[in-house]
Amino acid sequence: MYEVPPQGGRRAVVTGASGGLGLEVARRLAGAGAEVVLAVRSLERGARAADLIRADHPDARLEVRLVDLADLASVRAFAEELLEAGRPVHLLANNAGVMRPRRRTETVDGLELQFATNVAGHYALTALLAPRLTAAGGARIAWMTSSAAHVGRIDFDDLQAARRYRPFRAYAQSKLADLVLARWMAERAGARGLDLVSAAAHPGYVRTNLFSNGASVGRARPRRSLLESRWLPHQEVDWGAEPMLVALTRPEVANGAYYGPGGPGGLVGPATLVRAPRRATREGLGDRLVEALAGLTGVELAL
Ligand SMILES: NC(=O)c1ccc[n+]([C@@H]2O[C@H](COP(=O)([O-])OP(=O)(O)OC[C@H]3O[C@@H](n4cnc5c(N)ncnc54)[C@H](OP(=O)(O)O)[C@@H]3O)[C@@H](O)[C@H]2O)c1
């Protein structure tokens, strides 16, 4: 199991730290001595997550802060709070996500929910924190993508799936966009000589709440998802969190690196370098996406 190197003096922000992979990422970073901001959309679930971490690491330095990544005003308020406090941010784990709501759901900003949460909210957060990250010294950003990105397509003519909503397609698009953003930031940081590493990670297959949460969006009662399979190789959160932990903390990570499980089907196993699909590396794709996101969010990612 990957052991996170000492992180004393480092401050980390982990989105979606209330459960699943984000909670495990926060737990392991806190265990290695990082000060961790649990960025959550429910203070109650955030406090419960903090209690779970403290049960393992009584001296953990944790802050629970509210952010709804599907609401750009909330993302702005969260970023402002962090910036106002004047403290550095060294590590940003862009982890929170939603998968396959059965019906198209629109956010207060008029964006499709998966695009809003998985892409636009994280893009805006990253852009707003970028000056603080680049000033921190040895900063890292890790973007949680998925093997779904490998079959995704970014439909610039219908980014919000307003014309036709297909749940998995919209999810795959959002995760491909995360991978493209990770690489775009890495290229920029490299070209400008910034002390910043941007990398991507996918967890393989971990039976978290992701599947039922997505299927339950807009429903009075929780729903199971067909993707929750007992028969596919799957792993627990401790292993599933490894690619992101490696991307965030292994000393020799290259800018733009992409980590995922190295075992059968890329679903399980220790974190290893993964090749990004050709669809994520097309010339000009990152520029086009960043331009579209700047327009949709009103936030420029100035690197
Ligand atoms: N599990 C897998 O096999 C798998 C595979 C590939 C990729 N991933 C990716 O891994 C990441 C983590 O997923 P997980 O498996 O750990 O699922 P999870 O247990 O459902 O965790 C998702 C986290 O995101 C948070 N979240 C959702 N919408 C949010 C919003 N609008 N604002 C703020 N936080 C929000 C959730 O908060 P609440 O507690 O409030 O719901 C929760 O903490 C996702 O990006 C997902 O796409 C997972």
Side-chain angles (χ1 to χ4, degrees), residues 143-166:
W143 299 77
M144 189 67 100
T145 177
S146 161
S147 41
H150 298 225
V151 294
R153 184 176 154 256
I154 300 181
D155 182 357
F156 285 100
D157 294 330
D158 191 19
L159 270 182
Q160 306 310 321
R163 260 184 252 148
R164 182 160 186 217
Y165 177 67
R166 279 177 284 175

Side-chain angles (χ1 to χ4, degrees), residues 21-301:
L21 296 159
L23 171 55
E24 178 65 8
V25 168
R27 194 179 69 79
R28 304 258 283 274
L29 290 175
E35 190 182 330
V36 183
V37 178
L38 309 181
V40 295
R41 64 175 162 173
S42 149
L43 286 178
E44 199 188 328
R45 284 195 290 277
R48 220 179 299 142
D51 286 346
L52 288 171
I53 295 173
R54 287 201 183 98
D56 288 344
H57 306 291
D59 298 331
R61 291 190 303 154
L62 307 171
E63 279 174 66
V64 178
R65 286 185 184 259
L66 204 57
V67 61
D68 181 351
L69 285 145
D71 177 347
L72 291 167
S74 168
V75 173
R76 273 198 199 90
F78 170 73
E80 270 164 28
E81 258 180 47
L82 280 183
L83 296 175
E84 261 168 29
R87 314 260 331 283
V89 177
H90 302 91
L91 308 173
L92 174 60
N94 283 333
N95 162 77
V98 58
M99 182 187 194
R100 292 178 75 238
R102 289 183 190 183
R103 297 203 191 108
R104 183 178 181 277
T105 307
E106 207 165 278
T107 67
V108 285
D109 303 300
L111 305 178
E112 185 277 320
L113 183 66
Q114 297 180 86
F115 189 88
T117 312
N118 304 354
V119 190
H122 282 110
Y123 161 86
L125 177 62
T126 306
L128 292 164
L129 295 184
R132 191 59 57 87
L133 282 157
T134 49
R140 294 269 180 101
I141 305 176
W143 299 77
M144 189 67 100
T145 177
S146 161
S147 41
H150 298 225
V151 294
R153 184 176 154 256
I154 300 181
D155 182 357
F156 285 100
D157 294 330
D158 191 19
L159 270 182
Q160 306 310 321
R163 260 184 252 148
R164 182 160 186 217
Y165 177 67
R166 279 177 284 175
F168 183 77
R169 198 173 176 151
Y171 179 70
Q173 167 177 268
S174 74
K175 289 291 147 182
L176 176 59
D178 287 333
L179 183 52
V180 170
L181 287 173
R183 294 175 58 88
W184 185 89
M185 286 199 79
E187 268 168 35
R188 270 296 162 107
R192 309 259 149 107
L194 301 174
D195 188 8
L196 173 79
V197 166
S198 166
H202 84 83
Y205 182 41
V206 186
R207 292 177 54 216
T208 59
N209 292 331
L210 183 73
F211 309 96
S212 54
N213 278 354
S216 308
V217 169
R219 308 272 174 170
R221 291 212 205 112
R223 286 271 196 131
R224 293 289 303 276
S225 159
L226 289 175
L227 293 184
E228 265 178 284
S229 161
R230 284 176 191 282
W231 312 113
L232 280 175
H234 59 271
Q235 56 186 357
E236 300 302 321
V237 283
D238 51 0
W239 283 100
E242 285 216 0
M244 178 158 258
L245 286 165
V246 167
L248 280 174
T249 65
R250 186 179 275 168
E252 67 274 17
V253 168
N255 230 334
Y258 176 25
Y259 291 91
L267 296 171
V268 293
T272 183
L273 272 175
V274 177
R275 185 195 286 261
R278 289 254 299 276
R279 59 189 68 220
T281 62
R282 287 201 185 109
E283 184 77 27
L285 181 61
D287 287 339
R288 196 171 173 198
L289 179 61
V290 168
E291 195 183 317
L293 282 163
L296 289 167
T297 62
V299 185
E300 294 282 338
L301 180 42

